[in-house]
Amino acid sequence: MSDIFEPDDWPPDDRDDLLAAEYVLGVLSADERRSAQTRSETDGAFAERVAHWERRLALLNAAYEEGPVDPGTLEKVEAALFGEPAATPEPALATRRHGAGWRLWFAGALSAAVVVLAVLFWPQPTAAPLVARLDAGELAFDASYQAGVLQVAHRGPEAEEGRDYELWSIGADGVPRSLGILRGEAIEIPAELDAGVTLAVSLEPLGGSPDAGPTGPVLMTAELTLGD
């Protein structure tokens, strides 16, 4: 693994992320690559990290079209990284090849490390939440869904004694599925939802509907749509 950034001082999860990223980028030594490949075949958590980096770094390839490389590209990269070489007697062919190979490996490793660190620590864009406003005049619920969590803000009176508000999701199949009881001013509900799903609030017996679907009156509905 690259030691330019002293990864041994990092937490284990970060070191595994870096190793998986370097494995996907192809900058590990032969022995390290074989070791990482064996681990990816036997360690499910590490295999998932490798798959994650393959998906994440695939975006870099998608941004560029394949095409011929200018023969002078390597010399330009080396000049930018190491400066113009001083005039010296012509070295032996084997020495020239060895020096060029070392510089090319170092440039590749340095570039890979920069890419890995940029992806690891650069703030990632956050997708806009899905939102819905369920409004029945004095009673309203504002729903916001993001990263697997539905947040619901309640405005208005609580349910009457012996009753509860219950939240439902209705997908393309038209089947209502309970998301939980709505009590208090703010509720967080883990859920898997998509844009276009309809949210509904019904008035149910205390503790929620005794059946698979709503048994009391449906007070309001709204569709989850992409927020601003």
Side-chain angles (χ1 to χ4, degrees):
M1 185 188 297
S2 169
D3 59 358
I4 297 175
F5 301 97
E6 299 183 355
D8 288 342
D9 297 334
W10 295 6
D13 285 349
D14 288 349
R15 291 201 300 271
D16 282 350
D17 266 339
L18 179 59
L19 176 61
E22 289 184 320
Y23 174 69
V24 172
L25 286 165
V27 297
L28 296 174
S29 67
D31 289 342
E32 288 176 324
R33 182 168 183 80
R34 281 192 294 269
S35 176
Q37 181 175 354
T38 299
R39 184 177 173 189
S40 70
E41 294 170 352
T42 58
D43 183 338
F46 184 71
E48 179 55 34
R49 292 181 189 276
V50 170
H52 168 78
W53 277 106
E54 288 174 340
R55 294 190 298 268
R56 202 167 184 180
L57 295 177
L59 298 176
L60 300 178
N61 288 333
Y64 301 95
E65 296 182 359
E66 293 186 4
V69 179
D70 187 329
T73 298
L74 175 59
E75 286 77 8
K76 293 177 182 177
V77 171
E78 290 183 345
L81 289 171
F82 308 107
E84 294 293 341
T88 56
E90 186 70 16
L93 179 60
T95 302
R96 291 203 309 273
R97 286 179 176 172
H98 175 75
W102 179 88
R103 291 195 299 272
L104 181 59
W105 175 89
F106 181 81
L110 181 61
S111 299
V114 170
V115 169
V116 169
L117 289 177
V119 177
L120 270 174
F121 300 111
W122 195 269
Q124 299 300 309
T126 302
L130 300 177
V131 297
R133 180 170 178 79
L134 299 97
D135 196 335
E138 293 184 356
L139 177 64
F141 295 92
D142 289 309
S144 176
Y145 177 73
Q146 190 172 39
V149 176
L150 180 66
Q151 296 180 321
V152 183
H154 172 203
R155 175 179 59 79
E158 294 288 342
E160 60 192 67
E161 187 175 354
R163 308 295 292 272
D164 270 322
Y165 299 126
E166 189 165 358
L167 182 64
W168 306 82
S169 68
I170 305 170
D173 58 5
V175 177
R177 294 175 174 83
S178 177
L179 294 175
I181 301 301
L182 299 175
R183 294 175 184 163
E185 295 182 354
I187 306 97
E188 288 192 356
I189 304 170
E192 295 185 7
L193 302 171
D194 297 310
V197 166
T198 296
L199 299 182
V201 175
S202 65
L203 184 62
E204 300 293 338
L206 188 66
S209 171
D211 295 336
T215 59
V218 175
L219 305 178
M220 61 198 80
T221 64
E223 184 178 308
L224 270 176
T225 58
L226 191 63
D228 296 330

